[in-house]
Amino acid sequence: MNTVRVAGAGAFIPSRTISNERIAAAFPGWSAERILEKTGIVERRFLWDIDARGRAIAPPEDDLPIYPASNTDMCEVALRRALKQSGVDARELDALFLITCTPDELNFNHDAMVLHHRLGCRADTFALVIDDGCGGTPYILDMACKMMRGGRFKTVAVVASSLLSPQLNPDVYTGEIVPAPGLKPINAYLSAYVFGDGAGAVVLRADGEEGEGILTTMSGNAHTDLVIRRGGGVLRLPYQGRTRPVDMAFVVDGPRVAESYPFYMRQCIEEVLSERPELRSEVKRYYLHQPNKRLMEHFIGTMGLPHERVAINVDRYGNTSAAGKLILLAEDLESGRVRLGSGDLVLIAAVGANVHYGAQLIRL
């Protein structure tokens, strides 16, 4: 069985910061102080700007467009950085998996195919967009690892992204939805407060030495609507007369997230560590899904994890969905907190959306 190692990682985070004061003024609901109190988020990063009313400001479309300005652009920057760190040429890639629920264009694997073209990948390199949220990264890493161990792929890129800012509109993100008959309505403004933009990428190689790389891996499915988006599919198109603006929002069911996050995250961490229990105390860094800082802090305390070993950036970037774990890894590699080839042990785990969950125990 082939050993799958992490060859490199890269990330892109927009430079534009949006404070709690600014987002609260654009999307009334919570005050800036309450956003900080409830979520621990100080600011988030947006690729696109917003005006005083909370409407997204599109970059100009002219002969010299702003770059990066799109989901595909962010993913390209992150992936090129991962390829550079790994020393891998794009033509060596056997597959390119792009995990996002905010693609530039919805159909036909658009964003992955654009990346395939821009990077000059081989014609037989698989290029697929996986429509997934916060749990998508370890879910697809599990799938890719198992395919690589079987010998089908030698080199794979996994890219993940979140791009909320172009979707922001007060008509959309101030409405309410009822998650199910008889349940309390939930408001969409929480998503505007919580989510941020960014992309992360990792390059995997099936050429590792025994005892390195992905040591244990798992994934699973549950059926709980943690985040709801009812519009966009064929059942709720705007001209059908049954779609409201709020149906186009990503609406976070906060109470359900708070209940589900610790349950599935504990399951993920315990399962990958149960296969190698002797390594539990050796884990140097935990890259966990970043829903909000308060929920993470509570979970870290409940699990008894060493706080200094859990990487956190949600307070500065917002919830970057599937991208968060790869951004954290790329930042640690860039800073030297962990190093490729060092034997440092790290753990990735996440749960999200409908529900996909997964985890990996990795020796770098």
Side-chain angles (χ1 to χ4, degrees):
M1 182 173 66
N2 295 320
T3 299
V4 180
R5 67 179 176 92
V6 172
F12 173 80
I13 291 292
S15 59
R16 178 178 290 107
T17 60
I18 305 293
S19 67
N20 286 342
E21 289 76 14
R22 190 173 176 198
I23 202 73
F27 298 92
W30 289 0
S31 67
E33 293 76 18
R34 191 178 185 200
I35 294 172
L36 178 60
E37 176 190 353
K38 292 291 188 180
T39 70
I41 295 172
V42 177
E43 61 189 19
R44 67 285 299 138
R45 301 291 184 92
F46 282 178
L47 188 64
W48 289 23
D49 206 351
I50 55 173
D51 63 22
R53 296 180 300 163
R55 295 181 183 275
I57 301 173
E61 292 184 324
D62 53 27
D63 293 336
L64 295 172
I66 295 172
Y67 179 87
S70 69
N71 186 67
T72 310
D73 291 347
M74 292 197 308
C75 291
E76 181 182 4
V77 174
L79 180 51
R80 287 190 184 278
R81 288 173 176 171
L83 288 167
K84 181 178 180 180
Q85 185 177 80
S86 66
V88 170
D89 186 271
R91 289 192 59 80
E92 297 179 67
L93 293 177
D94 300 309
L96 190 168
F97 299 123
L98 197 169
I99 308 154
T100 190
C101 57
T102 57
D104 294 334
E105 296 186 17
L106 286 176
N107 299 118
F108 314 126
N109 295 290
H110 172 272
D111 291 23
M113 291 295 286
V114 170
L115 283 184
H116 183 281
H117 174 69
R118 289 183 183 179
L119 270 65
C121 297
R122 305 189 315 266
D124 65 342
T125 300
F126 289 88
L128 296 173
V129 174
I130 293 93
D131 174 29
D132 214 339
C134 306
T137 297
Y139 192 87
I140 297 304
L141 286 174
D142 181 57
M143 182 190 77
C145 177
K146 289 169 179 173
M147 298 170 85
M148 296 173 78
R149 285 175 175 175
R152 176 58 185 87
F153 297 142
K154 181 179 179 181
T155 309
V156 171
V158 176
V159 190
S161 65
S162 170
L163 184 57
L164 179 74
S165 58
Q167 305 174 48
L168 288 178
N169 182 310
D171 296 332
V172 174
Y173 278 91
T174 54
E176 289 184 339
I177 69 165
V178 177
L183 296 182
K184 182 180 177 181
I186 51 178
N187 201 292
Y189 57 66
L190 180 61
S191 298
Y193 300 158
V194 169
F195 287 108
D197 300 342
V202 66
V203 175
L204 305 176
R205 296 273 281 183
D207 61 359
E209 301 292 330
E210 185 177 354
E212 73 171 352
I214 299 177
L215 305 180
T216 62
T217 180
M218 62 82 71
S219 65
N221 306 281
H223 305 282
T224 302
D225 291 328
L226 303 183
V227 182
I228 302 165
R229 190 178 193 238
R230 291 179 171 157
V234 296
L235 298 183
R236 287 184 183 267
L237 294 170
Y239 53 78
Q240 292 171 345
R242 56 183 178 181
T243 303
R244 302 177 303 148
V246 71
D247 289 330
M248 298 306 298
F250 290 94
V251 183
V252 177
D253 190 333
R256 187 166 283 184
V257 170
E259 177 184 354
S260 299
Y261 182 84
F263 178 84
Y264 291 108
M265 291 294 285
R266 178 182 291 273
Q267 182 175 326
C268 289
I269 293 171
E270 293 297 341
E271 184 167 335
V272 291
L273 287 175
S274 67
E275 297 183 43
R276 300 292 301 271
E278 76 279 8
L279 298 178
R280 182 180 293 267
S281 63
E282 194 182 327
V283 177
K284 186 172 184 179
R285 291 291 269 175
Y286 292 85
Y287 303 121
L288 309 181
H289 169 46
Q290 312 274 300
N292 70 61
K293 192 176 181 183
R294 301 295 183 234
L295 189 54
M296 288 192 68
E297 288 173 336
H298 183 264
F299 175 71
I300 293 166
T302 301
M303 282 289 293
L305 301 178
H307 199 283
E308 70 279 3
R309 298 187 188 182
V310 180
I312 298 177
N313 61 22
V314 65
D315 54 328
R316 296 174 288 119
Y317 298 161
N319 178 345
T320 51
S321 189
K325 285 72 62 184
L326 300 185
I327 293 170
L328 290 165
L329 173 60
E331 288 185 330
D332 268 8
L333 287 171
E334 184 177 2
S335 70
R337 181 136 194 181
V338 297
R339 293 178 296 110
L340 295 172
S342 66
D344 288 336
L345 196 65
V346 302
L347 192 151
I348 294 174
V351 56
N354 253 7
V355 169
H356 279 166
Y357 57 88
Q360 286 77 41
L361 183 64
I362 306 170
R363 192 173 294 284
L364 297 176

